[in-house]
Amino acid sequence: MDVGVGFGQDLRQLRHDAAAGAKRSGKPKATTVSVHEANEGRKTRFYAVDARPELWWLGLELFRDALHPPAELILADMTNRWSKMTDSPFHKVLGRVDVYILCQVLDLFDWERQKSVLQTIFHTSKVGSVIVGHCEGTTWEGTRESALDGKTLSFIHSKEWFWRMFTDAQSPSERETKWKLEIETCELERYGIEKDDVDWMERRPSSVLTFYAVREI
């Protein structure tokens, strides 16, 4: 499941790498089928999540795969808090998601809404589920204007504060979950971000935080 899928380039890369790996291993090459057929007839299912579908639609145009979408789109705001997940747009994937892709999503929101995104993931996950992603990192922690609209605030993390937010998000969960979390601080250049790309920001990031979490309970 790609959370905040946008154009869907990460999801497409994942599918491409999986197909390339299957080809190298000598497994039969899969034929091109619709996402409905793929999701109904194969063990591997791909889901894309976004609150607004416009970028997803543009991605279908840019990659020219609208006839065979790389994933099934779930139109939902991950910052919402549903009283019952069975009544949410995620009812079909409860306890079925193996991997969550969470790239450049959390740093769009403030502290509480970041926790809401993680709690939605916690509530739909299962033992063994993996969260992998990255977000802006800093030596300071605090708020700045969000890239969403320039009006709301987003919370930017240091490594220590990301750990604190992730842990805090588990406390009020509907069911008890325990995650093993690993965080790494990476240089901006590793992600193709040049100094000129961030110099205009009032409180610019100094690094990228990459994270990997596995649900143990």
Side-chain angles (χ1 to χ4, degrees), residues 22-157:
K23 185 176 181 179
R24 286 194 297 270
S25 68
K27 294 180 180 179
K29 185 177 180 180
T31 57
T32 301
V33 296
S34 70
V35 68
H36 175 75
E37 293 171 326
N39 281 355
E40 290 298 320
R42 300 181 185 176
K43 292 183 179 180
T44 303
R45 296 172 170 84
F46 296 88
Y47 294 96
V49 179
D50 217 310
R52 299 182 62 178
E54 291 88 347
L55 289 180
W56 176 252
W57 294 338
L58 284 174
L60 295 177
E61 293 183 20
L62 290 171
F63 291 99
R64 300 182 179 182
D65 53 7
L67 293 179
H68 306 290
E72 179 179 341
L73 179 65
I74 298 177
L75 191 60
D77 185 347
M78 293 285 286
T79 65
N80 285 344
R81 296 185 179 182
W82 290 273
S83 57
K84 293 183 179 180
M85 292 304 294
T86 52
D87 296 330
S88 75
F90 302 99
H91 63 89
K92 67 171 69 176
V93 299
L94 294 180
R96 295 173 58 187
V97 181
D98 295 300
V99 180
Y100 298 87
I101 304 173
L102 197 58
C103 296
Q104 294 179 292
V105 175
L106 292 177
D107 44 27
L108 294 174
F109 306 115
D110 60 25
W111 178 277
E112 288 301 320
R113 289 191 294 170
Q114 288 183 25
K115 286 171 51 179
S116 294
V117 171
L118 289 175
Q119 286 164 4
T120 299
I121 290 176
F122 296 162
H123 297 160
T124 59
S125 67
K126 61 181 180 180
V127 174
S129 289
V130 171
I131 305 171
V132 60
H134 62 265
C135 63
E136 293 181 19
T138 66
T139 53
W140 52 268
E141 60 278 332
T143 58
R144 73 161 189 228
E145 290 183 351
S146 172
L148 282 175
D149 54 19
K151 298 177 182 178
T152 57
L153 296 177
S154 60
F155 193 94
I156 310 301
H157 291 275

